[in-house]
């Protein structure tokens, strides 16, 4: 696949921030984001919002970082290092979402923000208090350039059960109506065809993205990786449909390279790039 332009050694690369939760097992969350950032030649900055206690089998618990510390991480990095894009992942609570949204708005930046509205782990362990869904809709979505919910998150956020192409379109419209510039409804869990088409919508036009379906038991961190790659592509100035196409291609290669880890689900692997020599 065609990758992003690399900055020559010794020169400051493009900077992208992840505002999300850590995964002690190293599969998803901030760890997945940083792997993708690094493998795409981007300098990754971090605002840790929550710390999960987790392995390949599940999430045993999490600790929320105090909101002033989360806001502070975003603020000091933005004013000194500068970021060309950011993505959000696990934000855990309404209070944290409120602080992130307020801090982001306060930066007055034009940098694109990719919002992956993480609600639960692949094992169904909650990563967001149910009471925070209103904040996702009313505070986070309006500042997003792109939102990337999976089908469970679509149902929680819009109430729409996506079962076919028509309901996927309805969901894209309902998500877009909440305020993001673009909404992506991932078709990954829609098993109506061999493909897993994702649908992108900007209030006017629909764009469809098919990709080879990779059936692997090891897809921990796939959603995080897609959103992280999209943020990197946007940081490089790609337009949204191209950035989503790029991210989809990237996560497909990461799925192809996914590996077993522990006794549960292994992670998708951005490390495939090390074997490409590109
Ligand atoms: O893949 C979603 C996700 C995001 N962030 C953290 C996670 C998970 C899934 O387990 O643990 C920290």
């Amino acid at each position: 696949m065609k990758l992003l332009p690399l900055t020559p050694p010794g020169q400051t690369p493009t900077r992208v921030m992840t505002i999300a939760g850590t995964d002690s097992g190293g599969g998803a969350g901030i760890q997945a984001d940083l792997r993708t950032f690094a493998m795409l030649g981007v300098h990754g900055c971090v605002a840790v919002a929550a710390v999960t206690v987790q392995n390949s089998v599940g999430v045993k618990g999490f600790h929320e970082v105090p909101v002033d510390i989360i806001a502070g991480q975003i603020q000091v990095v933005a004013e000194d290092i500068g970021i060309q894009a950011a993505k959000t992942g696990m934000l855990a609570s309404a209070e944290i979402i409120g602080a992130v949204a307020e801090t982001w708005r306060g930066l007055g930046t034009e940098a694109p923000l990719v919002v992956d509205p993480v609600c639960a782990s692949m094992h169904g362990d909650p990563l967001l208090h149910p009471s925070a869904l209103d904040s996702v809709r009313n505070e986070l979505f309006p500042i997003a350039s792109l939102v990337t919910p999976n089908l469970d998150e679509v149902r929680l956020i819009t109430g729409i059960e996506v079962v076919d192409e028509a309901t996927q379109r309805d969901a894209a419209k309902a998500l877009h109506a909440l305020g993001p510039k673009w909404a992506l409804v991932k078709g990954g869990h829609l098993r109506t065809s061999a493909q897993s088409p994702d649908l992108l919508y900007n209030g006017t036009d629909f764009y469809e993205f098919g990709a080879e379906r990779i059936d692997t038991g090891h897809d921990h961190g796939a959603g995080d990786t897609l959103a992280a790659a999209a943020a990197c592509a946007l940081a490089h100035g790609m337009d949204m449909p191209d950035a989503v196409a790029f991210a989809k291609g990237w996560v497909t290669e990461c799925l192809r390279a996914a590996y077993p880890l522990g006794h549960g689900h292994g992670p998708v692997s951005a490390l495939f790039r090390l074997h490409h020599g590109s």
Side-chain angles (χ1 to χ4, degrees):
M1 71 177 295
K2 200 172 175 308
L3 296 169
L4 300 175
L6 292 177
T7 311
Q11 290 185 21
T12 307
T14 300
R15 282 86 66 209
V16 176
M17 171 171 263
T18 170
I19 307 167
T22 66
D23 171 359
S24 48
I30 286 173
Q31 283 72 14
D33 294 340
L34 288 179
R35 260 194 307 279
T36 279
F37 292 170
M39 289 297 144
L40 289 175
V42 162
H43 177 92
C45 301
V46 176
V48 183
V51 177
T52 69
V53 178
Q54 117 170 246
N55 58 20
S56 72
V57 183
V59 180
K60 319 289 176 195
F62 63 80
H63 169 73
E64 294 170 25
V65 173
V67 290
D68 56 324
I69 300 296
I70 301 169
Q73 293 171 86
I74 300 168
Q75 189 81 48
V76 299
V77 169
E79 67 194 22
D80 171 41
I81 294 169
I83 47 177
Q84 280 79 57
K87 66 148 285 195
T88 64
M90 174 190 181
L91 295 178
S93 74
E95 198 193 0
I96 292 177
I97 290 171
V100 168
E102 188 186 342
T103 308
W104 187 262
R105 281 195 307 268
L107 297 178
T109 174
E110 295 284 305
L113 179 67
V114 178
V115 168
D116 184 21
V118 173
C119 294
S121 78
M122 64 188 299
H123 302 98
D125 310 304
L127 298 174
L128 180 79
H129 296 295
S131 61
L133 283 170
D134 271 342
S135 303
V136 170
R137 295 183 198 102
N138 303 330
E139 298 192 62
L140 204 52
F141 273 35
I143 57 169
S145 310
L146 171 69
V147 295
T148 64
N150 63 28
L151 296 185
D152 288 334
E153 291 153 359
V154 167
R155 183 173 39 76
L156 288 169
I157 293 163
T158 67
I160 296 174
E161 190 88 49
V162 175
V163 291
D164 54 17
E165 279 174 35
T167 43
Q168 195 179 17
R169 280 182 174 236
D170 292 343
K173 288 180 185 166
L175 291 165
H176 184 265
L178 293 170
K181 292 198 186 72
W182 296 81
L184 181 69
V185 181
K186 293 184 279 188
H189 300 113
L190 247 188
R191 291 181 177 269
T192 52
S193 72
Q195 295 257 312
S196 54
D198 293 356
L199 190 65
L200 179 68
Y201 182 60
N202 64 356
T204 322
D205 298 309
F206 287 100
Y207 299 78
E208 261 198 26
F209 300 88
E212 182 188 347
R213 187 177 181 90
I214 313 285
D215 258 320
T216 167
H218 307 301
D219 59 358
H220 191 39
D224 317 52
T225 297
L226 177 96
C232 291
L234 293 170
H236 273 277
M238 258 188 217
D239 69 22
M240 190 60 77
D242 284 350
V244 169
F246 172 80
K248 186 102 174 128
W250 178 257
V251 78
T252 300
E253 292 312 312
C254 293
L255 277 159
R256 212 188 296 286
Y259 49 83
L261 194 70
H263 297 90
H265 291 280
V268 303
S269 177
L271 303 180
F272 80 88
R273 179 165 189 178
L274 295 172
H275 302 280
H276 276 222
S278 57

